[in-house]
């Protein structure tokens, strides 16, 4: 029992809570980088939450525009509308530090100095984050591929792009590095 209590006190010491230097920026040594699996779980959860945003936005657009089906000639306008809606959603929440999914997974977005992200920087991150989807979609555009083939290519690219974070010095995603942002582990929100 004595040895286990000394192990607990050693594991709770401040020195053991600081992550290795390779995982954090020198300016914010207190903020550990969330692991890749946790960031990807947050990413998937964000996708599920965005389903509700797409549903409400789609209903609003189709009702006000009196669209009768999904193959309406205005579907490209609808896609542009969703691009703007997603931009507003992400820029708003990132400028506040977290989306709902990020709160759930205790992840916060900050700039490279550990300060809150400005709306301009959040917008740059939003535009750069489309690297997750645009390259495979642009690559398959000239070909008549089936839905499953496109899905495999998109998810293959997503996996490759996520794994490329291993080559970043602080293990951040490259679109974060280019936008001047970083993801850090945040403390759980108070329930009071």
């Amino acid at each position: 029992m004595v040895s286990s209590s000394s192990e607990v006190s050693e594991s709770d010491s401040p020195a053991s809570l600081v992550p290795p230097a390779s995982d954090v920026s020198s300016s914010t040594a207190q903020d550990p980088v969330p692991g890749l699996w946790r960031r990807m779980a947050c990413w998937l959860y964000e996708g599920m939450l965005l389903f509700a945003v797409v549903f409400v936005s789609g209903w609003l657009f189709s009702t006000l525009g009196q669209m009768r089906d999904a193959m309406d000639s205005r579907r490209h306008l609808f896609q542009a509308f969703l691009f703007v809606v997603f931009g507003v959603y992400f820029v708003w929440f990132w400028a506040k530090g977290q989306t709902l999914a990020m709160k759930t997974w205790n992840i916060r977005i900050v700039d490279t100095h550990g300060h809150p992200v400005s709306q301009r920087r959040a917008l740059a991150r939003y535009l750069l984050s489309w690297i997750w989807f645009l390259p495979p979609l642009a690559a398959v555009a000239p070909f008549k591929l089936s839905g499953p083939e496109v899905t495999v290519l998109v998810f293959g690219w997503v996996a490759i792009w996520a794994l490329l974070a291993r080559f970043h010095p602080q293990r951040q995603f490259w679109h974060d590095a280019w936008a001047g942002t970083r993801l850090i582990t945040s403390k759980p929100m108070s329930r009071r």
Side-chain angles (χ1 to χ4, degrees), residues 8-188:
V8 170
S9 64
E10 287 175 12
S11 66
D12 290 339
S13 70
S16 67
L17 297 177
V18 176
S22 64
D23 286 347
V24 295
S25 167
S26 60
S27 63
T28 56
Q30 301 298 327
D31 303 324
V33 177
L36 180 61
W37 289 110
R38 194 161 113 217
R39 287 182 284 167
M40 293 309 292
C42 178
W43 185 80
L44 287 173
Y45 184 46
E46 194 77 66
M48 288 188 285
L49 294 176
L50 284 176
F51 179 78
V53 174
V54 169
F55 180 79
V56 171
S57 300
W59 172 79
L60 183 65
F61 186 88
S62 63
T63 300
L64 294 177
Q66 297 182 353
M67 291 179 67
R68 299 196 189 281
D69 58 52
M71 298 310 289
D72 190 297
S73 62
R74 294 170 288 179
R75 73 179 180 275
H76 298 297
L77 184 59
F78 175 60
Q79 290 169 347
F81 175 71
L82 284 179
F83 180 79
V84 171
V85 168
F86 287 162
V88 169
Y89 171 86
F90 283 114
V91 169
W92 174 268
F93 281 108
W94 287 340
K96 294 189 176 297
Q98 295 172 304
T99 63
L100 180 59
M102 292 168 81
K103 285 180 184 178
T104 302
W105 287 93
N106 297 325
I107 297 173
R108 180 172 292 283
I109 184 169
V110 294
D111 68 9
T112 54
H113 303 292
H115 299 112
V117 176
S118 67
Q119 286 186 345
R120 175 180 257 169
R121 193 170 299 275
L123 178 61
R125 184 179 195 262
Y126 171 69
L127 295 174
L128 288 167
S129 70
W130 278 94
I131 293 174
W132 285 95
F133 299 107
L134 288 183
L137 293 177
V140 301
F143 307 106
K144 299 284 185 189
L145 298 178
S146 67
E149 292 169 327
V150 172
T151 302
V152 167
L153 288 172
V154 168
F155 281 113
W157 173 254
V158 165
I160 290 168
W161 186 250
L163 290 173
L164 285 175
R166 296 274 189 202
F167 297 106
H168 187 272
Q170 287 92 29
R171 306 243 178 188
Q172 295 289 330
F173 293 127
W174 285 100
H175 67 277
D176 278 312
W178 297 331
T181 59
R182 53 191 313 269
L183 297 176
I184 60 169
T185 299
S186 69
K187 295 178 183 173

